[in-house]
Amino acid sequence: MSIKTALFATSALLLATTAAAYADIPVGHLADQSGATSDVGVPYAQGVADALAYINANGGINGTKLAVDSVDYGYQAPRAISQYKKWSSGSNKIAALQGWGTADTEALTGFVGKDEIPAFSGSYSGHLTDPTGKGPHGSKPAPYNFFYGPSYSDALRGMLMWAAEDWKAQGGQGKPKYVHMGANHPYPNAPKDAGEQLAKELGFDVLPAVQFALTPGDYTAQCLTLKQSGVNYAYLGNTAGSNISVLKACQTVGAKVQFMGNVWGMDENAAKAAGSAADGVVFPVRTAATWNAEVPGMKTLKDISKLSDAAGTAYRPVHYMAGVCTAFYMKEAMDWAAANGGVTGPNIRKAMYQKKDWVPAGLEGVCVPSTWTDADHRGMTTVNIYRAKVGGDTGGSVDDLVKAGTIKLEKLTTVDVPRKPEWLGW
């Protein structure tokens, strides 16, 4: 068992044992601790687990504890579906689900809708944003699906808007060339069509997509394709683990490309692992700050972190912080439900529509203001765009590297992507 997995298990055990002595509110937690996306799944799941443990240690939901069952499903959708069926049947039916990946979340959309179980996912697929199914793209109704952050599609749209301006600022001549990269899988494919359509509208020459697996490997051939075709901007649709392999291979072959990672495609840990190959990668950050920022909510965040790091020395990447925000939106929705008829799925869903520009109490400056409505589950269309900066050897700890300025997450801009009706569910 890895240290990270052991810490996660400790938080999960604390949640289970604390809740066992009380009348409880069952919550299912699907996490990827060992599968293809565990490189980013581990810190996100730790954020969720620590947040839920903190909630229980501070009164739960109106005095009632959460009974959280955390399961590592290894990023295998059939296992997630099987586990969900166990949670959704019988007398101890879960009140809500903290989920993870796109393939399993999209596969469960119909189930959670039928069972009226709110699902808060780590997938930001645009397909999950249409609660009615009446949008122009024919996506399945997703009335019980929620996520914190811009959709993959809106995040890519925001980066393409930035890229169009960047091309002009760099004095680029002619049409810039854009390519979508990633595995042939629901997660990296989710924003592909949306991104390519907008890229064409913005004047990009859109090249055929380049595929690479979700797992690390030798992607020299893909980088040679980029170099030979003269790609200017490339979207990396996979998580950091395989993206790192691409970045290193492209550095080796001399492919001069402006890479744009998806929200799971880059973070502080990835910058350390990729070293100089990560320098300059642009990506969206869905929190309002990074670790150690001087914002009001950082104290609460660090208190939460101590649930699995008692010494308070761990550096928490942006994915951990997003996990905390996600858990606290669910918590506050449950608080409202408890005061308005009980903590049931329908009441939790209704609670998600009660606030505008919502930031969970105590996390001001950490979580980005979000608004969900019964007609539109795009909680935000604000895209905070950052650039990874790596200036030197990355052999130390992430905490030391960030403190020394060797690794920086430099904010470039904020793009307010239009909330177009025709982009709902896509």
Side-chain angles (χ1 to χ4, degrees), residues 9 48 95 207 224 249 299 406:
V48 171
L207 304 185
L224 288 172
K299 181 184 183 302
T406 305

Side-chain angles (χ1 to χ4, degrees), residues 27-28 48 95 116 161 339:
V27 175
V48 171
E116 298 183 322
M161 292 174 187

Side-chain angles (χ1 to χ4, degrees), residues 285-348:
V285 171
R286 70 279 202 211
T287 50
T290 56
W291 191 250
N292 286 329
E294 295 183 0
V295 296
M298 191 58 61
K299 181 184 183 302
T300 301
L301 189 63
K302 291 197 171 186
D303 287 343
I304 293 167
S305 175
K306 289 179 182 177
L307 270 294
S308 60
D309 173 43
T313 58
Y315 182 93
R316 300 298 192 180
V318 289
H319 304 317
Y320 176 94
M321 296 168 64
V324 171
C325 290
T326 303
F328 266 79
Y329 280 107
M330 182 190 77
K331 182 262 186 194
E332 292 200 353
M334 286 182 167
D335 285 339
W336 186 93
N340 290 273
V343 186
T344 64
N347 283 345
I348 295 170

Side-chain angles (χ1 to χ4, degrees), residues 45-100:
Q46 191 68 64
V48 171
D50 286 353
L52 298 180
Y54 179 88
I55 290 164
N56 271 349
N58 288 273
I61 307 300
N62 194 30
T64 302
K65 303 295 181 179
L66 301 172
V68 183
D69 187 12
S70 297
V71 173
D72 172 16
Y73 76 107
Y75 203 61
Q76 296 181 36
R79 287 175 60 183
I81 294 168
S82 176
Q83 182 61 48
Y84 171 80
K85 289 182 177 179
K86 294 177 183 177
W87 283 333
S88 60
S89 61
S91 58
N92 207 34
K93 174 182 173 181
I94 58 173
L97 173 68
Q98 285 285 334
W100 175 238

Side-chain angles (χ1 to χ4, degrees), residues 208-222:
V210 174
Q211 291 187 9
F212 67 104
L214 279 170
T215 51
D218 180 2
Y219 299 120
T220 301
Q222 286 86 340

